[in-house]
Structures are given as structure tokens and as C-alpha cells.
Amino acid sequence: MFTLFTFASGACGSDPVSAGGGNSAPAPADRRALVVYFSCTNTTRDLAVRIAEAAGAALWRIEPEVPYSAADLNYNNDSSRANREQNDPSARPAIKGKCEHLADCDVIFLGYPIWWGLAPKAVHTFLESHDLAGKTVVPFCTSGSSGIGSSGSDLQRSAPRALWKQGRRFGGRESAAALRSWVESLGLD
């Protein structure tokens, strides 16, 4: 599977540790994986943590410099921050930090919620501020009802030199066994 190493949110480090204190992490191998995710309500965060455990991967959270408030996320308000960003193709909200050890990774699992059928613009900010050339990127999203739609292909334009796998939408309640099976089905070894 993958070599396990840990990154702190916002600033990366590379101290090897066992996922979950050694519980069910796959045996280390030649490939190193990282789960990068954006989450405002923690639904995507919770799934990202579970995918990291299933893949034996580290975690890195995309954090906006200015956190989103409940009003910012109100999709019923046309002038909410999230609506304005999603309706502006050039919007790239500033994010905190940079994943300095991304070069140590071979596989990036990229998680995000579906906002108005697409990935939030902060995910584009991450992709455009990091060099993912030659890295395998596996997008995954969370949504209560919407599918992954064109979000994966839309993100590819922000990192065209990465090797993109087909993405998947999750509802957020998948079992550990289902997530392990999904990771194994990707054939990333």
C-alpha cells in the first residue's frame, strides 16, 4: 500500500507514526500518500480522517485565512461569501500555510464538499499554489444528495500536470471496510 507519515495541519512535518496508534494501518510500502481536504462543517474532515486510516496516509487540511461563518455558507442568500466565490470563476480565497513536504508524496487524496455542484474555490487555491506534477490525485467529495458531477474535471484545470483518477462522492457514513475496499480498487500500488 503506502508509506505512512504525518503532517500537521497548516505546516507539514514528516515524523513517521502509526495511524490510530497502530490500529489497522496498512503495511508500509514504496508509495507515500497524503489526504488533503477542505471542510467547513467537518463532514468532509471526518471522511478524510477515515480515508487516511484506510490508506495509511497522512492528513493536511486546507484552511481559509478567513474562516467561513454560517452566514458565509448560507446558499439561500445570493450575496453570501460562498455564493459569490462559486459564481466567480477567478475567485481564489487565500488559504493558510503551504504543505512544504508535498514533494515526499506520490498519491494525493483530495477531499471537499460539493458546493453548487463544484468544489469550493479554496481547493483551487491549494492546487494552484502547489506543484502536483507527476503526482496521482484521487478526488473525493461529500454531499447529502449531489453527485461528484464535473468537480473532478473542473479541478484538473488547476493542476493539469497531475495524474488524475476518477473521483467518488461519499455520503459520509461509509464503513471502514468499504473505504479500504475503495482505496484498494484504485490500484495505486
Side-chain angles (χ1 to χ4, degrees):
M1 287 283 254
F2 303 99
T3 299
L4 177 65
F5 58 125
T6 299
F7 294 112
S9 176
C12 297
S14 59
D15 298 323
V17 297
S18 297
N23 295 337
S24 70
D30 293 334
R31 298 183 63 108
R32 289 182 250 171
L34 173 65
V35 175
V36 173
Y37 69 96
F38 175 79
S39 184
C40 288
T41 64
N42 294 330
T43 301
T44 305
R45 181 203 66 189
D46 294 346
L47 179 64
V49 167
R50 293 173 43 234
I51 289 174
E53 290 170 356
L59 283 167
W60 197 81
R61 183 177 189 146
I62 300 168
E63 293 185 71
E65 279 189 5
V66 177
Y68 289 86
S69 68
D72 290 335
L73 299 172
N74 182 355
Y75 66 88
N76 291 313
N77 178 352
D78 289 340
S79 64
S80 73
R81 176 179 166 196
N83 272 334
R84 287 191 321 270
E85 289 174 359
Q86 290 303 94
N87 288 321
D88 179 356
S90 65
R92 297 297 184 266
I95 60 175
K96 292 181 183 178
K98 191 164 180 164
C99 188
E100 299 299 333
H101 296 281
L102 193 63
D104 296 334
C105 301
D106 299 307
V107 177
I108 312 299
F109 291 89
L110 182 63
Y112 51 90
I114 289 291
W115 285 5
W116 302 264
L118 298 170
K121 299 296 182 163
V123 179
H124 290 273
T125 304
F126 169 81
L127 292 171
E128 292 170 7
S129 62
H130 291 81
D131 182 8
L132 277 75
K135 303 205 179 294
T136 299
V137 179
V138 183
F140 67 92
C141 68
T142 56
S143 174
S145 60
S146 299
I148 195 165
S150 63
S151 65
S153 59
D154 184 52
L155 290 171
Q156 289 180 31
R157 289 190 282 279
S158 290
R161 295 178 36 210
L163 309 170
W164 289 83
K165 290 281 196 177
Q166 178 68 37
R168 179 163 172 196
R169 174 220 167 256
F170 292 96
R173 298 186 185 269
E174 288 72 17
S175 70
L179 294 174
R180 273 193 305 277
S181 177
W182 172 66
V183 169
E184 290 168 3
S185 76
L186 295 169
L188 299 171
D189 292 336

